[in-house]
């Protein structure tokens, strides 16, 4: 079951989870590190930050530029033989060592590699939260093994997109990509996908009480239980509350005052 501190309430609560952040340098890009750590901070405190890879390789040059800036501890792993990934094994061994210290509330696994599916499942068996971060090419098995999975495409800085746009326009070879970059520069960091109306309404129905209204936090919890990689940013909305307010053809919503306080909470139901 998803820890209620993990979903939806992160919009209003201070982070409380102690997290171990483990990055697979072979399957993650340095360009997303600022957005990645900012996203992790929404869930809790990154008390351990480690990255695994062969930093003598030219492929790791970009990572070497950001390690000190973001206080990430590099774990050097030479390839034992061609075609075999020793990095994965080292990361998994370290994860199990950290798991048995019982000092963490959850793990952040940063990779697009399905090899970490078993690790994610093992951590869940211990009752800890598993947050996954990877590209859209990440296999479904790994995404579903996490309590919450975030596509790193939505974490890319807008400035990088703008640079790509300028390069594309200068070459004049890809007008379609230039148009997509312009859209991203104006506020949409990831190409919007078709909105899964049926899935969202199913989650809302399960989250609703006898009056057919659902607390936004409960609604968000059901969304994540059913589909760990659901993210309102994929559909052009910064937060779930923005999505609800923006999809007036699907949702009705109202703000209510919490009993005993002046805090406003959002409730939603299907039209």
């Amino acid at each position: 079951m998803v820890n209620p501190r993990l979903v939806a309430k992160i919009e209003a609560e201070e982070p409380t989870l102690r997290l171990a952040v483990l990055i697979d340098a072979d399957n993650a890009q340095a360009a997303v590190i600022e957005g990645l750590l900012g996203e992790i901070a929404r869930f809790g405190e990154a008390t351990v930050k480690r990255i695994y890879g062969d930093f003598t390789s030219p492929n790791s040059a970009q990572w070497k530029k950001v390690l000190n800036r973001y206080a990430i501890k590099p774990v050097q792993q030479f390839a034992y033989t061609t075609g075999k990934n020793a990095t994965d094994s080292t990361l998994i061994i370290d994860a199990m060592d950290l798991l048995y210290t019982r000092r963490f509330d959850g793990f952040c696994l940063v990779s697009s590699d399905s090899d970490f599916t078993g690790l994610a499942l093992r951590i869940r068996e211990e009752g800890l939260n598993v947050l996954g971060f990877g590209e859209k090419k990440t296999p479904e098995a790994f995404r579903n093994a996490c309590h919450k999975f975030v596509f790193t495409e939505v974490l890319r800085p807008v400035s990088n997109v703008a640079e790509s746009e300028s390069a594309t326009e200068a070459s004049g070879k890809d007008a379609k990509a230039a148009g997509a970059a312009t859209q991203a520069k104006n506020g949409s960091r990831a190409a919007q996908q078709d909105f899964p109306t049926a899935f969202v309404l199913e989650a809302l129905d399960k989250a609703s009480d006898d009056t057919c209204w659902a607390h936004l936090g409960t609604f968000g919890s059901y969304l994540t239980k059913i589909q760990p990689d659901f993210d309102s940013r994929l559909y052009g909305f910064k937060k779930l509350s923005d999505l609800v307010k923006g999809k007036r053809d699907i949702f009705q919503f109202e703000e209510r005052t919490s009993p005993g306080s002046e805090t406003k909470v959002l409730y939603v139901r299907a039209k």
Side-chain angles (χ1 to χ4, degrees):
M1 181 176 180
V2 179
N3 189 318
R5 292 182 296 170
L6 181 64
V7 294
K9 292 183 180 180
I10 58 175
E11 295 184 5
E13 290 187 347
E14 290 296 324
T16 56
L17 302 181
R18 292 171 56 86
L19 302 172
V21 181
L22 308 180
I23 305 172
D24 176 10
D26 297 336
N27 284 284
Q29 296 187 14
V32 304
I33 187 60
E34 184 174 359
L36 172 69
L37 294 178
E39 184 75 7
I40 290 171
R42 298 174 64 229
F43 296 100
E45 178 188 1
T47 56
V48 167
K49 292 180 286 185
R50 297 181 186 177
I51 184 169
Y52 301 78
D54 182 0
F55 298 101
T56 64
S57 168
N59 295 333
S60 300
Q62 294 301 314
W63 277 114
K64 288 190 288 186
K65 296 178 182 179
V66 301
L67 297 184
N68 288 337
R69 186 189 313 166
Y70 296 102
I72 303 173
K73 178 181 178 180
V75 179
Q76 170 65 30
Q77 179 58 62
F78 294 101
Y80 294 128
T81 184
T82 302
K84 300 295 183 181
N85 194 342
T87 299
D88 291 3
S89 300
T90 304
L91 191 156
I92 292 171
I93 291 171
D94 264 15
M96 297 307 296
D97 287 343
L98 292 171
L99 175 66
Y100 291 131
T101 65
R102 310 294 180 186
R103 294 188 291 114
F104 301 96
D105 300 304
F107 282 73
C108 300
L109 304 179
V110 185
S111 179
S112 302
D113 193 338
S114 63
D115 289 348
F116 296 109
T117 302
L119 174 62
L121 292 172
R122 181 66 184 87
I123 294 172
R124 289 188 64 152
E125 289 177 355
E126 291 294 318
L128 275 64
N129 292 293
V130 182
L131 307 175
F133 300 84
E135 298 177 352
K136 290 184 179 179
K137 66 180 181 180
T138 305
E140 186 177 19
F142 179 39
R143 302 201 309 263
N144 290 339
C146 301
H147 287 102
K148 176 68 178 176
F149 191 90
V150 177
F151 291 117
T152 53
E153 282 85 352
V154 304
L155 306 177
R156 293 182 179 278
V158 176
S159 58
N160 285 7
V161 178
E163 291 172 4
S164 299
E165 175 191 7
S166 298
T168 302
E169 289 176 343
S171 65
K173 293 181 179 179
D174 197 340
K176 184 176 180 180
T182 300
Q183 182 187 24
K185 183 179 179 182
N186 290 332
S188 178
R189 294 188 177 183
Q192 294 183 23
Q193 301 181 0
D194 292 335
F195 188 72
T197 303
F199 157 69
V200 170
L201 291 179
E202 177 187 358
L204 180 57
D205 179 65
K206 292 181 179 180
S208 299
D209 57 21
D210 292 340
T211 66
C212 296
W213 286 94
H215 183 281
L216 183 69
T218 306
F219 178 36
S221 178
Y222 269 101
L223 284 171
T224 306
K225 287 179 186 177
I226 300 172
Q227 187 172 312
D229 58 9
F230 181 84
D231 195 323
S232 58
R233 289 169 293 189
L234 294 172
Y235 311 104
F237 299 93
K238 185 177 180 180
K239 299 183 294 184
L240 179 61
S241 57
D242 295 333
L243 186 152
V244 167
K245 294 175 181 179
K247 292 286 185 180
R248 294 173 182 258
D249 57 324
I250 301 175
F251 303 114
Q252 286 182 290
F253 62 89
E254 62 180 38
E255 292 185 343
R256 304 178 185 176
T257 302
S258 298
S261 73
E262 297 181 357
T263 305
K264 295 285 188 179
V265 293
L266 192 67
Y267 279 79
V268 58
R269 72 177 181 183
K271 270 196 170 180

